[in-house]
Amino acid sequence: MRLLDSLEQGMRGRMVTVCAPAGSGKSTLIAQWAHSARMQTAWVSLDDRDNDTARFWRYVLHAYMEAGPSSLTDPLAAVGALVTGTTVNAIIDTLLNELAALEEPIALVLDDYHHIELAEIHDSLAYFIEYLPFRHRIIIASRGEISLDAAKWLARGERTEIGLRQLHFTQEEIDEFCRSAGVYLEQRHTRKLLEKTEGWVAGLQLASITLQDQQDIDRIIAGFGGSNEKVSSYLFQEVLDKLPSDVTDFLLQTSVFDRMDAEVCNQAFNRTDSREMLEQLRALNLFVIPLDNYNGWFRYHSLFADFLKSLLRSRSRERWLQYHLAASRAFAARRMLDKSIDHAIAGESYKVAADRLEEYIPDALKQGELASLLERIEAVSEHIPMPSNLLMYQAFAYLLMGQMHFSAETVEKLEKRYEQPETAAELEPLQGGMLFLQSNLLFYTGRYEQWDSFVGYRLQGVLPEDPIFYNFNYNMMEPLVRRTAFGLKGILSADTERIGQRFVSVLEQHGWGQSLINLYVVQALCEGYYEWNRPSDSLELARKIGLSDRARQTAGLFVPNRITLSRIYAASGQFLKAHEAIDEAVQMAEQKGEYHWLYPLRASRAHLYVKEDKLAEAKAEISRLRLSDRIQPASNRWIEYTVYARILTAQGKTTEALRQLEFIESSLEQDSCLLLRTEISLVQSLAEYQRGNRSAALQLLHEALVMGESNGYIRSFVDEGIQMKKLLHTYAEHRQRETAQAIWQDVSLVYVEKLLACFPEQENPSQPQPSLIEPLTEQELFILQLLEQGAPNKQIAAKLALKEGTVKVYLSRIYAKLGVSSRTQALAAARQLIGLAE
């Protein structure tokens, strides 16, 4: 009761840390509190394999889904499938927003946090704790002091520490504990137990098991001595000596598991009684800890597990290795390949581990568990020569993590193997993959001339056949592809355009036109052309992506595509079509259950309303996004905060607008995206200009112009409208007066004049379509294109996920707009109007 009260009082703050050595009763205390607490508990049990950022946060999401109401399930399940090392902050931001919307609080328990050593996890957890919504709590249990910096929460009175001294039992508590276990001791015995165990909970629990039905209590207690490890070994042996041999055999067999259920135990050791055995162990109070609410998965208490493992290894190293190999096969049969690989490595079956790695790679890449993948590859490579295809995947994983140096080193190892006659034949089928990696390394490190001379001409000859290279999803969260590392974080140049075009040409010639990598390159070019104010080129590629079934099923492509298409239409005043494009993407995101994409899409729609001077609609749309001044936004939410700042500026609330921009800017200190930095500077400059701070406005505009000129940006400036045009005129006049000041010289006035020339004479001119009764929507244009391809109504319905009756309604509407009455007439009219439609 004393400890439960301490924990309950600690829950008034943001977090509780329970730090003490193994066997001190940390997990038991928290479990007892969770059982009696007035709030739901999301429990995550950690081990040393959880030093992977993606895996760690996927477990956290699943724990919240299990503990929380059904309203959490859909949004968290959707983002849980997208967790990678590069999307963690965006995922955390989504989780924080969903928790903020809950009426009932949830306590997150991170048990055995001492296993976590990765600084990236500590940093992301600190971010999560800092912005944890009011009333929600976190409890961290660790054998030592937690590694993340929690001093600030202690100083604020928001952290409660429970340490070893508090966890030790008093003599009265020892007496009560033993009596509850059916062991009745004299006062001298409880005094001796306190002296021997120093109130150590695990020792007391072992003692209570050992002392049941024992006549010689004095002998048992006298055997306590030395360290906790020696005491536990002594007592564990006492316990094991009383158990039937079949129970002891089961304990030794299953000691190799870090986590287990009855099925995997049965499969590994050809048993049929594992469920009964696990229940028997729980009834005997033999340190079996459930890991879920359904008594499906279990683990042994760490002290007991260590004892059993040590006992098995000392009795038979051969059996230790055999049991691990059996566990590896059982997990492989369950398609739990990560655990299968770990057991194969522990069982020194490195060839088996390498074979499992080949099967595991697609899942690891899809789930974003790149750090774990690399760790396992390296563990195997220490003992056997790695197959060349695994080395190639290792180089690819390094590339995806942005570790270009290690990727290049691995590719160099492969090249050296190719020079050796005994391995050249093995590498011949991999030449395409090696070339693919070399091509990407040169491109992403900016060595464009080398790309042309060394790689470009060779791409025509050989390409990898492995679809993993082509179908990796390069965008899980960002509303524009140019915003990603794949899109070079906003960098644009003639070199990137030329190489992109050449890459697309080669892939399409070889039949990889519908591969994700090709479609992503096309979308990046589409966004670049729009930025360069080449709307016809951008529109052509936008429609090319829109016609791709693969793209329409991949939100990371389709959402940026529709946002870009919306911007193209808005730039020419076709706001109906612009809204249609956003609506298509919203429909797709909702159908696929990927709700996180709704945030940038709603922000994009609000931005359209701003351009149309419909501030009431813009405010209503942005209010649906639950933007918070407390939660530090993840970088992928830049569209939402910059649009909100534009709305506030349009309302004359420039101080609040600048505060919102500072809020998003502070979360992007490590972000190198030129596209984003330019946009934030521009919106800040307009807010400063509106409130009369001319000097600050010009300085912020200058910063944006420096980045803009180096990349040829145009639409970033022009899309800000008439106020930006006025500010650019003011900047040009200021420059002409201050010609001697060196601070302005890194932007040419020629570039400024070029930008001014791109602004329309009047704002948002609409494109007349005199031959149409009413403009065709994007959806209707798409249906016309399918008609021209000869698609029947049934096929069109399947393509658009509509009913045939709905397609007929669309066709009737199209006929009415074209002033025709048949399919043939509609096609003829559409061909005549194609110039206008494009």
Side-chain angles (χ1 to χ4, degrees):
M1 183 61 71
R2 168 181 59 89
L3 290 172
L4 289 175
D5 287 343
S6 297
L7 188 49
E8 184 63 34
Q9 289 176 9
M11 296 307 289
R12 296 173 184 172
R14 185 182 301 269
M15 67 184 297
V16 175
T17 55
V18 187
C19 301
S24 301
K26 303 181 295 295
S27 301
T28 303
L29 169 64
I30 298 169
Q32 288 177 346
W33 172 84
H35 182 71
S36 60
R38 289 170 289 181
M39 68 171 68
Q40 292 294 321
T41 306
W43 193 294
V44 181
S45 294
L46 300 163
D47 60 40
D48 56 3
R49 284 297 180 188
D50 296 326
N51 276 285
D52 183 292
T53 309
R55 172 179 290 205
F56 177 90
W57 283 104
R58 191 175 292 116
Y59 284 163
V60 170
L61 289 172
H62 287 169
Y64 271 116
M65 287 163 59
E66 283 193 5
S70 58
S71 60
L72 270 184
T73 303
D74 285 345
L76 295 192
V79 297
L82 306 175
V83 179
T84 68
T86 58
T87 65
V88 162
N89 279 353
I91 298 296
I92 294 173
D93 192 45
T94 300
L95 173 58
L96 289 169
N97 274 281
E98 294 299 332
L99 292 178
L102 294 181
E103 294 183 4
E104 297 296 326
I106 299 175
L108 173 65
V109 176
L110 298 176
D111 196 13
D112 289 336
Y113 190 77
H114 54 273
H115 287 297
I116 302 301
E117 300 173 350
L118 195 64
E120 185 179 352
I121 295 179
H122 297 320
D123 293 343
S124 62
L125 182 60
Y127 172 92
F128 176 75
I129 297 170
E130 180 67 18
Y131 298 103
L132 192 64
F134 177 68
R135 295 188 305 137
H136 291 277
R137 299 292 181 262
I138 183 167
I139 304 173
I140 301 177
S142 173
R143 291 187 190 175
E145 184 60 37
I146 58 174
S147 299
L148 71 149
D149 181 14
K152 57 184 175 183
W153 298 304
L154 191 61
R156 295 177 195 164
E158 294 182 336
R159 173 189 170 193
T160 297
E161 294 180 295
I162 297 177
L164 178 61
R165 183 171 297 178
Q166 292 161 280
L167 290 168
H168 280 169
F169 275 27
T170 64
Q171 182 173 336
E172 292 75 16
E173 288 168 338
I174 290 174
D175 186 58
E176 182 181 348
F177 177 83
C178 289
R179 279 189 284 107
S180 67
V183 177
Y184 299 92
L185 301 177
E186 298 176 19
Q187 193 172 25
R188 66 186 180 89
H189 289 141
T190 56
R191 276 201 307 270
K192 200 69 174 176
L193 271 177
L194 176 62
E195 177 188 332
K196 291 284 189 176
T197 65
E198 297 181 344
W200 179 47
V201 177
L204 293 169
Q205 185 176 354
L206 280 164
S208 68
I209 297 172
T210 309
L211 291 171
Q212 289 177 1
D213 302 324
Q214 287 283 348
Q215 299 299 317
D216 195 356
I217 293 176
D218 290 304
R219 181 190 68 80
I220 297 295
I221 295 178
F224 289 19
S227 66
N228 285 347
E229 182 181 355
K230 289 181 179 179
V231 171
S232 60
S233 294
Y234 165 74
L235 291 173
F236 280 136
Q237 192 60 59
E238 286 280 338
V239 170
L240 247 62
D241 287 344
K242 297 195 306 180
L243 294 175
S245 60
D246 62 329
V247 175
T248 304
D249 289 343
F250 181 80
L251 287 169
L252 292 176
Q253 285 178 336
T254 56
S255 68
V256 297
F257 291 119
D258 291 323
R259 305 178 187 198
M260 59 188 164
D261 68 354
E263 183 180 343
V264 79
C265 295
N266 282 340
Q267 188 145 16
F269 303 112
N270 296 318
R271 306 183 69 104
T272 59
D273 61 347
S274 294
R275 184 170 300 281
E276 292 77 12
M277 293 298 294
L278 287 167
E279 289 300 324
Q280 184 178 349
L281 293 177
R282 290 191 69 201
L284 291 170
N285 202 20
L286 271 179
F287 298 93
V288 181
I289 300 172
L291 297 177
D292 54 40
N293 296 326
Y294 317 106
N295 290 329
W297 286 87
F298 300 89
R299 69 173 175 88
Y300 293 124
H301 187 286
S302 54
L303 282 176
F304 193 39
D306 290 344
F307 169 77
L308 291 174
K309 289 174 183 177
S310 177
L311 182 62
L312 176 60
R313 282 194 296 263
S314 66
R315 287 187 178 181
S316 172
R317 184 175 182 276
E318 184 180 357
R319 273 199 295 165
W320 165 260
L321 299 179
Q322 287 175 351
Y323 289 171
H324 269 298
L325 182 57
S328 175
R329 289 172 179 153
F331 278 121
R334 295 274 292 277
R335 303 306 298 167
M336 300 172 72
L337 295 174
D338 52 347
K339 295 190 178 302
S340 174
I341 294 165
D342 294 340
H343 280 289
I345 292 171
E348 300 178 13
S349 300
Y350 301 111
K351 178 63 172 62
V352 172
D355 292 340
R356 299 275 188 268
L357 273 167
E358 291 189 43
E359 299 178 66
Y360 170 62
I361 282 168
D363 288 340
L365 293 177
K366 183 178 179 181
Q367 295 171 2
E369 296 185 2
L370 301 177
S372 295
L373 172 63
L374 289 170
E375 181 183 344
R376 291 179 173 106
I377 290 176
E378 288 161 8
V380 174
S381 66
E382 290 177 3
H383 300 278
I384 62 171
M386 289 297 290
S388 297
N389 59 335
L390 284 184
L391 278 181
M392 192 165 62
Y393 292 132
Q394 184 181 32
F396 186 49
Y398 280 133
L399 180 74
L400 295 174
M401 292 184 71
Q403 299 181 19
M404 303 301 175
H405 174 72
F406 293 112
S407 182
E409 276 189 348
T410 310
V411 170
E412 189 176 342
K413 290 179 186 177
L414 283 166
E415 290 172 335
K416 287 180 179 178
R417 287 190 181 187
Y418 190 70
E419 295 168 1
Q420 300 169 4
E422 64 272 19
T423 54
E426 174 195 353
L427 275 163
E428 195 61 39
L430 306 181
Q431 281 301 291
M434 289 171 61
L435 183 60
F436 177 91
L437 291 168
Q438 290 165 327
S439 170
N440 279 276
L441 281 168
L442 292 173
F443 181 71
Y444 288 116
T445 53
R447 291 176 287 171
Y448 303 129
E449 290 185 6
Q450 284 180 263
W451 193 97
D452 284 325
S453 61
F454 178 63
V455 178
Y457 75 95
R458 294 173 65 191
L459 279 174
Q460 297 287 348
V462 58
L463 284 171
E465 292 299 323
D466 193 335
I468 287 178
F469 290 111
Y470 294 121
N471 290 321
F472 182 79
N473 192 352
Y474 289 90
N475 182 28
M476 308 297 277
M477 302 295 295
E478 294 293 348
L480 289 176
V481 171
R482 285 177 57 225
R483 173 75 179 81
T484 65
F486 181 89
L488 296 179
K489 295 284 188 177
I491 293 174
L492 289 176
S493 69
D495 287 324
T496 61
E497 178 192 13
R498 185 187 69 256
I499 292 172
Q501 288 176 334
R502 196 167 176 184
F503 195 72
V504 167
S505 173
V506 172
L507 287 177
E508 291 182 348
Q509 287 174 23
H510 286 76
W512 289 101
Q514 292 303 303
S515 64
L516 284 182
I517 190 170
N518 184 66
L519 294 169
Y520 270 118
V521 173
V522 171
Q523 177 58 30
L525 287 169
C526 170
E527 294 173 20
Y529 288 148
Y530 176 74
E531 182 62 64
W532 280 346
N533 202 30
R534 290 162 56 178
S536 59
D537 291 335
S538 183
L539 184 59
E540 179 185 351
L541 295 186
R543 287 182 171 162
K544 181 178 181 179
I545 293 289
L547 288 169
S548 165
D549 288 334
R550 188 70 178 273
R552 296 180 77 89
Q553 295 300 315
T554 307
L557 267 168
F558 193 65
V559 170
N561 178 262
R562 297 295 99 169
I563 288 176
T564 305
L565 186 62
S566 175
R567 292 181 175 186
I568 296 170
Y569 285 136
S572 61
Q574 299 182 79
F575 288 105
L576 180 62
K577 287 187 176 182
H579 281 287
E580 279 274 333
I582 298 299
D583 290 343
E584 275 192 272
V586 168
Q587 183 183 17
M588 182 260 203
E590 289 178 339
Q591 286 178 344
K592 293 183 70 65
E594 297 189 25
Y595 302 105
H596 63 286
W597 291 109
L598 298 178
Y599 292 102
L601 289 168
R602 285 172 179 156
S604 296
R605 184 184 285 132
H607 196 185
L608 287 175
Y609 286 134
V610 173
K611 292 179 178 180
E612 295 176 276
D613 293 324
K614 297 179 178 179
L615 283 184
E617 291 88 339
K619 286 172 60 181
E621 195 68 40
I622 208 74
S623 67
R624 301 175 66 188
L625 301 182
R626 300 202 306 267
L627 301 184
S628 170
D629 290 340
R630 283 199 68 252
I631 301 173
Q632 189 76 15
S635 62
N636 71 306
R637 301 199 70 181
W638 59 278
I639 281 187
E640 298 151 56
Y641 281 84
T642 53
V643 170
Y644 187 32
R646 289 184 179 97
I647 295 171
L648 292 168
T649 300
Q651 294 177 293
K653 301 177 181 178
T654 54
T655 301
E656 190 175 348
L658 288 165
R659 186 166 58 83
Q660 290 296 326
L661 292 167
E662 289 171 5
F663 199 44
I664 185 70
E665 193 174 30
S666 65
S667 70
L668 301 171
E669 293 176 356
Q670 304 301 319
D671 198 297
S672 59
C673 181
L674 295 174
L675 171 72
L676 180 49
R677 288 165 54 198
T678 300
E679 181 164 349
I680 290 176
S681 293
L682 288 175
V683 182
Q684 285 174 322
S685 71
L686 289 172
E688 294 285 10
Y689 188 54
Q690 181 165 315
R691 71 173 182 170
N693 195 345
R694 184 171 173 272
S695 175
L698 292 177
Q699 182 58 48
L700 287 161
L701 176 59
H702 180 75
E703 292 172 7
L705 287 167
V706 171
M707 293 180 281
E709 185 169 21
S710 65
N711 292 277
Y713 289 177
I714 294 177
R715 293 310 312 188
S716 286
F717 295 85
V718 175
D719 284 351
E720 295 301 332
I722 191 66
Q723 289 300 109
M724 178 54 65
K725 185 177 183 180
K726 292 177 181 178
L727 182 54
L728 282 167
H729 273 301
T730 303
Y731 176 87
E733 291 168 0
H734 180 79
R735 284 286 305 276
Q736 288 165 357
R737 290 195 304 269
E738 305 288 343
T739 54
Q741 291 192 19
I743 60 170
W744 305 107
Q745 300 308 310
D746 45 2
V747 173
S748 71
L749 281 174
V750 173
Y751 175 56
V752 178
E753 293 299 330
K754 179 181 179 181
L755 289 176
L756 286 168
C758 292
F759 282 85
E761 290 301 318
Q762 59 180 13
E763 283 300 293
N764 300 329
S766 60
Q767 286 191 354
Q769 294 187 340
S771 299
L772 284 170
I773 296 171
E774 183 185 340
L776 293 169
T777 66
E778 180 65 22
Q779 187 92 322
E780 290 164 350
L781 283 169
F782 184 51
I783 290 173
L784 272 178
Q785 290 170 345
L786 294 175
L787 287 178
E788 193 170 11
Q789 295 170 14
N793 289 0
K794 185 175 182 179
Q795 186 176 335
I796 295 172
K799 187 92 171 175
L800 298 176
L802 300 172
K803 296 180 180 178
E804 282 191 68
T806 306
V807 172
K808 290 177 182 178
V809 173
Y810 269 108
L811 290 174
S812 297
R813 193 181 302 161
I814 292 169
Y815 296 166
K817 288 183 178 183
L818 293 173
V820 300
S821 58
S822 70
R823 180 182 289 231
T824 303
Q825 292 173 350
L827 287 174
R831 292 187 188 107
Q832 291 177 1
L833 293 168
I834 195 67
L836 288 175
E838 291 180 348

